Amino acid sequence: MLAIERKNEILGKLRTEQRVLVSELAAHYGVTEETIRRDLDKLEREGYATKTYGGAILGNSTKTDLSYTIRNKTNVEAKNQIAELVSAIVEDGDHLMLDDSSTSLYIAKRLKEKRDLTVITNSVELVMELANVEGWTIMLTGGRLKADSLALIGGETQKMLNTFHVDRSILSCKGIDPDAGITDSSEFHAQTKQSMLRAARQRILVLDGTKFDKVSFVEIAPLREMDIVVTNTQPPQRWLEVFEKAGVRVLYPGAV
């Protein structure tokens, strides 16, 4: 088997099982553990994997954007938990902006029980998901297509978003840090999210627990610009104190 074929098979296993072990892969392919580690090194550099002790998990890179097919299969339980919490915030008749993150897609699916929503988004995939919901108004921004994420980006995207005023904007990020704030891997995605924040009466950041204490390439906004942070697990006490100081409400399963 060629090295590229083995690497692609390992990526397929990561997508299916979310994690792999070096020892198991070495035995399966009949190669040394060092060879497998080199494969995982390449996958990590490409943003598809994060190396762990003895193996790797599906990508959690702050530097690159995974394709939408990979992102939609990653951290599914966490995204469903976040979607349920966000659904409790959104009210019938709301005007919303949703970014192109995979978490937003899970939120959109959960919101289908709501009535008379207006959703503005730059996500082609999200529009396809909501196309048949009766009674909703769905608006897709203009812009240049970023094929790997099925997102529209650029000046035309900002131009449309800056036209509207909505009840709530819901967006994700690549990392969150007390000093660096909320960050993303792409300036184009960051600009889109910044426009969504400016348009909203209430600003909601959604992120799973792996994004804490991570810093990506470009700042979206400081923490104090958010109204609510929704995550899938209780943040550490020091983070709860950071949010309290910034005046940000935090929601997670089991929170009072």
Side-chain angles (χ1 to χ4, degrees), residues 41 102 170 196 254:
D41 284 339
S102 58
I170 302 167
M196 290 182 171

Side-chain angles (χ1 to χ4, degrees), residues 35-208:
T35 297
I36 296 299
R37 291 191 185 95
R38 285 197 295 269
D39 291 337
L40 296 179
D41 284 339
K42 293 176 183 178
L43 288 171
E44 185 171 50
R45 287 196 299 271
E46 294 169 0
Y48 293 118
T50 297
K51 291 180 66 179
T52 61
Y53 181 77
I57 60 175
L58 190 61
N60 184 31
S61 173
T62 63
K63 297 179 181 179
T64 58
D65 291 318
L66 300 177
S67 71
Y68 68 94
T69 54
I70 296 176
R71 290 184 296 134
N72 291 349
K73 296 178 181 179
T74 306
N75 295 334
V76 172
E77 182 179 356
K79 291 168 185 174
N80 280 324
Q81 291 173 319
I82 291 169
E84 183 175 356
L85 292 169
V86 172
S87 179
I89 300 171
V90 174
E91 300 176 355
D92 292 341
D94 270 355
H95 291 71
L96 307 174
M97 285 185 179
L98 290 169
D99 71 1
D100 60 277
S101 66
S102 58
T103 305
S104 285
L105 181 64
Y106 280 81
I107 291 169
K109 293 177 180 180
R110 186 68 173 78
L111 290 178
K112 288 182 179 180
E113 63 188 34
K114 304 289 182 178
R115 295 181 298 171
D116 303 320
L117 295 185
T118 295
V119 175
I120 304 170
T121 184
N122 68 317
S123 169
V124 175
E125 188 181 20
L126 196 149
V127 168
M128 294 171 63
E129 176 67 33
L130 298 178
N132 295 321
V133 180
E134 294 185 6
W136 285 28
T137 299
I138 310 299
M139 304 178 70
L140 179 65
T141 68
R144 174 168 58 87
L145 179 66
K146 196 172 187 295
D148 60 350
S149 58
L150 287 183
L152 298 174
I153 59 173
E156 290 300 315
T157 306
Q158 315 312 317
K159 183 178 179 181
M160 179 175 176
L161 292 173
N162 291 336
T163 303
F164 295 96
H165 301 278
V166 297
D167 297 296
R168 296 174 174 88
S169 284
I170 302 167
L171 55 96
S172 188
C173 65
K174 278 289 193 298
I176 184 170
D177 179 84
D179 298 318
I182 304 159
T183 56
D184 209 290
S185 60
S186 161
E187 63 268 34
F188 293 110
H189 287 311
Q191 289 165 2
T192 298
K193 297 169 196 285
Q194 289 163 356
S195 293
M196 290 182 171
L197 290 176
R198 287 192 293 269
R201 175 178 57 83
Q202 185 179 68
R203 295 154 295 185
I204 302 172
L205 179 68
V206 294
L207 71 163
D208 64 69

